[in-house]
Amino acid sequence: AAPAASGIQTMPKLLQGLSGQFAGKVLEVELEQDDKQAPYYEIELAQDNGSTLELHVDARTGAVLRRKVED
């Protein structure tokens, strides 16, 4: 059987795809799995206004699953 990690986009490719939608400095990136074992990247971006944007991005498709702004 193929490992669960197959089909995951590389981080540089994924960040390049997101850069058009979201501005900010990347603080942290972690590869996680949800309760269905689906891989996603948790990405924290420092925004110009001082807040932090946390994104959950599907590691295979690059689709933004969730976004949350933290002060």
Side-chain angles (χ1 to χ4, degrees), residues 8-16 18 26 29-30 41 43:
I8 290 178
Q9 292 191 42
T10 62
M11 200 64 247
K13 183 179 174 193
L14 197 79
L15 287 175
Q16 186 176 17
L18 292 173
V26 177
V29 177
E30 293 179 9
Y41 286 110
I43 303 168

Side-chain angles (χ1 to χ4, degrees), residues 33-55:
Q33 285 189 326
D34 67 18
D35 51 6
K36 298 182 190 85
Q37 300 301 306
Y40 69 90
Y41 286 110
E42 183 177 300
I43 303 168
E44 289 186 16
L45 297 172
Q47 305 288 276
D48 290 341
N49 64 6
S51 64
T52 301
L53 178 62
E54 183 182 291
L55 299 172

